[in-house]
Amino acid sequence: MSFLGHKKNDGLSAGVHFKHTEKNDRATYHVHSGPNQQAALAFLRSTPIRDEFVYNIVETPEGNFGRDLIYLFREADGTPIEFAERPQNQSPTSSSTRCAWCGFVVVPCRIPLNDEMDGTVQVYRTYDELMGLLKTGGGFCCRSCSLLQCAVCSGLARAEGKAREPVCLACGGKVSVQEEVGPVGRSNLGKLAKPDDKNMLTLPSDPLGDELWGMAPLRVPWSIDVPSFLSRGNLPYLWPDDNEYMGYIGSGERAQGLLRPSWINVFLHHPNPDVVLQCLRSAPPDSMLTLNALADLLASPIAESHVKEEAARAFWRLGDGMAAHTLNVLLSRGMVPSGYDTNSVHQALGHLRTACPPERAGWFEIQLAGPDDD
């Protein structure tokens, strides 16, 4: 995937024509037709999308291509092609929600309602962490003049791998990650975590977690042999010093029956893609206790595409009942919303549709059109 690497003269959109606009509760799609991929991408590069949950789609004989707030992508599975360039204003314009330099919405980094960080904001300092803001449409707020600037206009897309902290483009002042307090989808938690000098990391608590996963921060290795770990006769407890947790899990066969799905949930939320892939291949979700974790992975906005593809294959190995449950979680059908953002759900459905066996395609479409119940 390239970072704003296309030529300046490839903005021609010959042969691309508007067809219609589709709207639902989650998004707006402006659908076009085009003669080929080249024309589609040229058109998409020249038509900025400045808001969340709005998409330009171009249908071509070579496949369908789209643009949203962040990417140009392939519609079939949501695979990003490149970061979308953002035209610059001649002078900054103050806004409480939009970048002063391009007018694109700055998506706040959400802080969990039950965050234990005494109200402070997690600061993104390393290059990899800052790059996460590019992938989610995030940005910064100046501590001095209060202007917002998105991650793209802050220069991260052209940083060439150099770790640095952006500064305000208007006054040169220090900036903070733009954030808001509120519910956080489980799929985001811990994804930007990095190992320490002991090859360990701390997964944060999950606002929607329970005794099997996410009720408290958890210290885990960055690298682990998942098949060997899960083959142990006695799996370790997640929080052995927590009396409430230990009372729920119990001991003996009951405990081991709960600890295995507990650790599968941990590995499916792990920020190391190798750990996630090992789990999907050696111990894929196969019970009601691990299906929410599969939905979290499918809906993750920053999980690697090849990991999501493996998760989609794991989904189609499920029976109809468990697959339907996972799909209901993904689509927030039920009493408790899942918290996934619309674009991530859209991309997850694209991966599922691509991996769908022909004999289950009809069943899949019926489920998508079904009522909102669990």
Side-chain angles (χ1 to χ4, degrees):
M1 182 174 62
S2 61
F3 291 110
L4 311 179
H6 63 272
K7 298 178 181 179
K8 292 296 183 181
N9 62 355
D10 64 355
L12 299 178
S13 55
V16 175
H17 304 285
F18 174 77
K19 294 178 62 178
H20 58 269
T21 294
E22 301 176 4
K23 293 185 178 181
N24 56 37
D25 292 340
R26 296 184 174 89
T28 298
Y29 301 87
H30 301 300
V31 183
H32 304 73
S33 63
N36 52 47
Q37 175 178 341
Q38 182 179 3
L41 296 182
F43 169 77
L44 294 171
R45 288 170 181 144
S46 67
T47 53
I49 297 294
R50 290 181 166 85
D51 296 285
E52 284 192 280
F53 316 132
V54 177
Y55 305 87
N56 273 338
I57 304 295
V58 182
E59 301 173 341
T60 82
E62 299 174 29
N64 298 347
F65 303 88
R67 175 171 180 166
D68 60 12
L69 179 69
I70 304 167
Y71 293 112
L72 272 66
F73 58 89
R74 300 180 186 276
E75 192 194 25
D77 58 5
T79 301
I81 297 174
E82 65 190 38
F83 281 103
E85 188 170 5
R86 300 186 171 192
Q88 301 289 297
N89 300 327
Q90 292 185 352
S91 58
T93 301
S94 179
S95 170
S96 62
T97 59
R98 297 179 180 275
C99 174
W101 280 266
C102 67
F104 284 55
V105 163
V106 176
V107 180
C109 174
R110 285 202 164 190
I111 305 301
L113 288 171
N114 68 341
D115 194 5
E116 300 175 357
M117 296 181 63
D118 62 19
T120 60
V121 178
Q122 299 183 32
V123 180
Y124 296 78
R125 295 190 180 279
T126 70
Y127 177 73
D128 287 339
E129 290 168 338
L130 291 173
M131 289 297 289
L133 295 178
L134 281 172
K135 297 178 181 180
T136 59
F140 306 90
C141 179
C142 178
R143 301 177 190 176
S144 298
C145 67
S146 299
L147 287 180
L148 295 184
Q149 61 188 51
C150 69
V152 175
C153 290
S154 296
L156 297 182
R158 299 181 176 86
E160 298 177 352
K162 298 178 181 178
R164 64 179 182 81
E165 292 189 38
V167 297
C168 178
L169 299 177
C171 69
K174 292 183 177 181
V175 296
S176 300
V177 174
Q178 178 70 350
E179 55 82 27
E180 66 181 14
V181 177
V184 176
R186 291 171 296 198
S187 54
N188 288 324
L189 296 174
K191 283 299 181 184
L192 297 178
K194 295 297 177 185
D196 58 20
D197 55 2
K198 296 181 180 179
N199 200 39
M200 299 288 290
L201 58 88
T202 300
L203 296 181
S205 59
D206 181 348
L208 301 180
D210 55 27
E211 292 85 353
L212 292 183
W213 156 255
M215 64 173 279
L218 181 65
R219 190 84 167 148
V220 295
W222 171 257
S223 300
I224 187 170
D225 186 329
V226 174
S228 296
F229 179 89
L230 292 176
S231 67
R232 296 166 59 174
N234 291 301
L235 292 171
Y237 291 92
L238 277 68
W239 302 284
D241 297 326
D242 188 293
N243 292 332
E244 182 179 353
Y245 163 75
M246 292 298 291
Y248 174 80
I249 296 296
S251 59
E253 292 184 5
R254 166 185 159 78
Q256 292 303 310
L258 293 176
L259 287 171
R260 179 178 173 83
S262 295
W263 283 109
I264 289 175
N265 289 338
V266 169
F267 296 143
L268 291 180
H269 288 90
H270 201 288
N272 184 346
D274 177 64
V275 172
V276 182
L277 287 173
Q278 286 187 64
C279 186
L280 287 170
R281 291 166 180 168
S282 64
D286 59 358
S287 75
M288 297 297 288
L289 298 177
T290 55
L291 296 182
N292 284 2
L294 178 60
D296 289 348
L297 179 57
L298 286 166
S300 171
I302 50 180
E304 293 76 3
S305 182
H306 67 285
V307 174
K308 289 189 177 185
E309 290 168 3
E310 191 67 35
R313 288 190 283 271
F315 173 91
W316 288 115
R317 290 194 290 270
L318 297 170
D320 285 354
M322 287 192 287
H325 175 88
T326 307
L327 196 58
N328 285 339
V329 174
L330 188 62
L331 297 173
S332 285
R333 292 172 174 171
M335 296 182 63
V336 181
S338 304
Y340 307 134
D341 70 86
T342 301
N343 185 48
S344 297
V345 173
H346 168 76
Q347 293 191 19
L349 295 178
H351 283 292
L352 292 178
R353 186 170 280 109
T354 298
C356 180
E359 64 273 14
R360 299 183 75 179
W363 175 89
F364 185 50
E365 297 304 325
I366 291 173
Q367 294 298 314
L368 291 178
D372 286 346
D373 52 32
D374 205 348

